[in-house]
Amino acid sequence: MKFGLFYEHQLPKPYDSEQWDPDEEHKLLKNALDQIELADQLGFDYVFEVEHHFLEEYSHSSAPEIFLAAASQRTKNIRLGHGIVVMPPRYNHPARVAERIATLDLVSDGRVEFGTGESASEMEMGGFGVRREEKKGMWEEATRECVKMMSETPYSGVEGAYVGMPSRNVIPKPLQKPHPPLWVASSRRETTMVAARLGMGSLGFAFETPEELEERVDQYYQLVREECYPMGKALNPALAVLSVLSCFENDEEAIDKGLEGAQLFAYSLGYYYNPFTGGNHQPGGMNIYKRFMDTPPEQRWGPLGEGFRGFGGFQGASVTEEPKDEVTRALWRAAQRGGCIGTPEFIKDTLRKYEASHLDLMIFVAQCGARKHEDVMESIHRAGTKVIPEFKERHEKHQRWREQQLEGVEYPVNSSI
Amino acid sequence: MPAKLDRIKDDALRDSLATAHVSLKSGNFPDVVHRSSDAYVEMLRRDPDLMKGPMGMRRILFYPRLGARLIQESDGSPAVIYDRETFSFSEAITYFEFAVDSLVREGV
């Protein structure tokens, strides 16, 4: 199993102010670069950077290609993942994506992981004029064309439903041939099955348990072997799972320094993805952190329930058991202590279960909510020195398991797992 | 054939989704979406409790909205509205996997 870090660039407003201090965004990005530099030195394998637009407080990461380019110059080995590039052409024309991915791959000496996705929040889709019912079709067509642009000389052109472009030679070409490893964001199980059938890695953002993962891994690799129609010219068979990290010498400290950030991560995510709240967000005029702090702790797993108040007698979001539907459950899980908030031993126990389920990549959310930079650094340092080494020693065994799973697959594989 | 299909107990629904799977492999994506949606709606019709209360509301909200969407008729019964008749590979897979997973989870 390999390990990565995941960055949303979360920036809560001060509790008693409608705006941030003028230097806060500057500090946030510089601190994140320090954290990634440390992670690289400690042997973390990946950093994944989101692309979101207009989601104040939740994510100040709208230009990940710029941030990853900066990270590439301060690191040597860590792989630089887009988690993800939003592919509907109204956000990013596929030719521009191909150019940026290739350039980042060149300046980083071939360390790019090309994560792709659709986006789902009303704030973002509305801002760029993307219709919900078309976003997956747009993602598929734009990603397919983008990969051709990176690997064909010249690109032959297309007249598609969403992308139209004549033949051009899209340059530069990436260092990794035929193109960097391909991923797709999978917030729902169905998209993991899409990933398998298209030969792409699945960036699982649903906080799956080891037990759920085991079944998903079986189905995923079966589909890769038996029903794969590759999106690109090489397969990236890989499953990744997200977990919130807070690693300290005792449980109390890990919870004290880590749980509120996890809860705010879930709360702000739920706020923007709930059509009743996110769709009515007042740009520049809302303090989500204050709203979160004023919410009773048992309801801080996300305001997804608020919009349903009154429907069918539903009285609110004070839920003590896991919700059944996958999207709500992911928010709920993100806000719990989870398996990676605790001591190194506690976290290793959790990770051994994922390892037994043959997980390829665990991605930690270390920076979230109002966590202090020094605490994030300490947590990354402790995980890098006291958690990860044990799993690195066993990774060869996992690679052999992967080879068995991929036996008979007729397409080339360019996975970095 | 995906192993999960075998876990659908109802013969007619399993056969219909097996046909949807054949259509998926042959590139007939509209047929996949129609068969998968029909199977899901049939499951809801058989157990009206599935559409009641906040869970029913969530079923409508979380049903894939990629050119076909789940609605509740005025008499409370579920139905699927099609906004278009062309679907991509990934859209078809999404409806197919959603239906198979839902039927297995509800023990149909």
Side-chain angles (χ1 to χ4, degrees):
Chain A
M1 185 160 62
K2 290 197 167 185
F3 293 91
L5 291 178
F6 184 77
Y7 278 87
E8 297 270 8
H9 293 327
Q10 298 215 309
L11 190 62
K13 287 179 176 173
Y15 178 81
D16 53 1
S17 172
E18 286 302 310
Q19 293 304 326
W20 299 269
D21 293 336
D23 198 40
E24 285 300 306
E25 286 179 324
H26 178 215
K27 277 198 295 192
L28 176 76
L29 298 190
K30 300 295 275 191
N31 287 345
L33 287 170
D34 286 347
Q35 292 158 19
I36 292 163
E37 189 174 355
L38 174 66
D40 181 49
Q41 290 163 1
L42 293 168
F44 278 80
D45 305 288
Y46 297 82
V47 56
F48 280 92
E49 177 80 22
V50 305
E51 177 187 335
H52 281 304
H53 302 274
F54 322 129
L55 306 187
E56 305 170 74
E57 301 185 74
Y58 174 68
S59 175
H60 292 234
S61 178
S62 52
E65 66 280 4
I66 307 287
F67 182 81
L68 289 171
S72 77
Q73 300 306 296
R74 293 181 53 167
T75 55
K76 289 187 171 63
N77 299 309
I78 199 165
R79 294 191 62 84
L80 306 163
H82 278 277
I84 47 74
V85 181
V86 188
M87 291 305 291
R90 281 175 173 259
Y91 292 95
N92 294 293
H93 190 284
R96 293 290 292 120
V97 178
E99 291 164 347
R100 296 194 312 240
I101 292 286
T103 304
L104 180 60
D105 204 44
L106 292 172
V107 301
S108 67
D109 301 318
R111 286 190 276 147
V112 171
E113 300 284 325
F114 182 19
T116 67
E118 311 156 17
S119 98
S121 78
E122 203 54 49
M123 267 291 114
E124 293 171 283
M125 289 189 297
F128 284 96
V130 172
R131 297 172 66 205
R132 183 177 295 279
E133 58 268 30
E134 291 179 333
K135 67 189 180 80
K136 192 175 280 292
M138 287 178 171
W139 162 79
E140 184 179 335
E141 187 176 306
T143 304
R144 198 178 299 282
E145 296 309 313
C146 182
V147 172
K148 285 185 199 165
M149 291 171 193
M150 283 191 272
S151 53
E152 288 182 358
T153 304
Y155 165 63
S156 52
V158 67
E159 277 305 322
Y162 306 111
V163 183
M165 186 175 161
S167 175
R168 293 287 186 275
N169 192 14
V170 181
I171 50 172
K173 302 294 186 199
L175 190 63
Q176 295 177 91
K177 306 295 183 194
H179 47 70
L182 303 176
W183 299 80
V184 57
S186 306
S187 304
R188 296 165 63 137
R189 180 194 159 277
E190 300 92 78
T191 316
T192 300
M193 302 304 135
V194 170
R197 286 185 171 94
L198 290 171
M200 304 174 81
S202 167
L203 287 169
F205 295 157
F207 294 88
E208 298 90 343
T209 64
E211 295 74 26
E212 288 162 355
L213 186 73
E214 192 165 358
E215 184 185 2
R216 207 164 287 195
V217 166
D218 283 346
Q219 292 170 1
Y220 176 89
Y221 279 98
Q222 185 195 357
L223 289 173
V224 169
R225 285 190 301 271
E226 297 176 7
E227 288 186 37
C228 190
Y229 307 89
M231 171 70 87
K233 292 182 166 58
L235 309 185
N236 177 30
L239 282 144
V241 162
L242 212 60
S243 189
V244 179
L245 175 76
S246 176
C247 183
F248 289 89
E249 283 307 318
N250 62 70
D251 282 342
E252 293 73 25
E253 191 178 7
I255 291 167
D256 184 49
K257 291 180 174 173
L259 185 57
E260 187 187 288
Q263 291 176 335
L264 184 54
F265 175 83
Y267 185 87
S268 51
L269 178 61
Y271 171 83
Y272 279 115
Y273 285 77
N274 177 351
F276 295 97
T277 50
N280 295 316
H281 175 72
Q282 293 178 341
M286 176 73 201
N287 186 328
I288 297 172
Y289 183 60
K290 181 175 191 310
R291 182 173 166 148
F292 165 79
M293 292 302 285
D294 292 345
T295 300
E298 69 274 13
Q299 294 182 18
R300 285 180 177 176
W301 57 277
L304 204 60
E306 288 181 16
F308 299 100
R309 199 181 294 271
F311 285 108
F314 187 58
Q315 292 305 309
S318 297
V319 176
T320 51
E321 289 180 10
E322 278 203 343
K324 282 186 178 172
D325 67 79
E326 193 173 13
V327 176
T328 320
R329 190 173 63 201
L331 294 176
W332 190 85
R333 283 181 181 168
Q336 310 306 308
R337 178 186 171 188
C340 296
I341 295 180
T343 63
E345 275 311 313
F346 175 82
I347 294 171
K348 281 196 283 189
D349 279 347
T350 300
L351 294 175
R352 286 183 197 117
K353 292 174 193 158
Y354 282 104
E355 187 183 39
S357 300
H358 303 292
L359 178 64
D360 294 304
L361 170 59
M362 171 58 78
I363 309 176
F364 292 128
V365 181
Q367 190 279 331
C368 58
R371 285 182 178 180
K372 291 178 185 166
H373 170 57
E374 310 84 74
D375 292 342
V376 175
M377 290 288 275
E378 189 179 341
S379 185
I380 290 171
H381 187 271
R382 190 170 283 102
T385 53
K386 296 189 174 179
V387 174
I388 288 178
E390 170 187 322
F391 298 91
K392 274 191 174 293
E393 284 173 17
R394 291 196 292 266
H395 189 64
E396 262 186 42
K397 187 178 167 192
H398 178 65
Q399 285 176 318
R400 286 198 296 277
W401 176 87
R402 280 172 54 83
E403 283 168 17
Q404 288 168 2
Q405 298 305 305
L406 298 173
E407 235 167 60
V409 171
E410 58 188 88
Y411 302 105
V413 170
N414 73 341
S415 176
S416 59
I417 297 292
Chain B
M1 189 163 74
K4 202 161 187 174
L5 260 181
D6 291 338
R7 288 159 58 188
I8 296 173
K9 295 172 190 162
D10 184 278
D11 292 340
L13 291 176
R14 189 179 58 248
D15 288 349
S16 181
L17 285 169
T19 305
H21 183 243
V22 173
S23 293
L24 184 65
K25 293 175 85 169
S26 67
N28 186 356
F29 304 140
D31 187 59
V32 179
V33 175
H34 278 269
R35 285 183 182 277
S36 302
S37 299
D38 288 349
Y40 187 75
V41 166
E42 178 59 24
M43 176 191 81
L44 297 178
R45 284 193 179 134
R46 288 182 189 182
D47 184 356
D49 284 347
L50 293 175
M51 285 301 286
K52 287 182 180 164
M55 206 57 212
M57 190 68 182
R58 286 179 185 201
R59 279 185 201 284
I60 290 170
L61 278 177
F62 293 128
Y63 190 76
R65 277 186 284 163
L66 303 170
R69 56 197 155 89
L70 183 66
I71 62 157
Q72 199 161 16
E73 306 273 24
S74 53
D75 64 357
S77 62
V80 168
I81 300 284
Y82 295 92
D83 297 318
R84 55 185 149 92
E85 279 306 323
T86 56
F87 293 92
S88 70
F89 186 40
S90 60
E91 289 167 341
I93 296 169
T94 302
Y95 283 103
F96 174 74
E97 290 290 344
F98 186 86
V100 171
D101 193 53
S102 300
L103 266 63
V104 169
R105 208 157 6 95
E106 296 297 340
V108 175

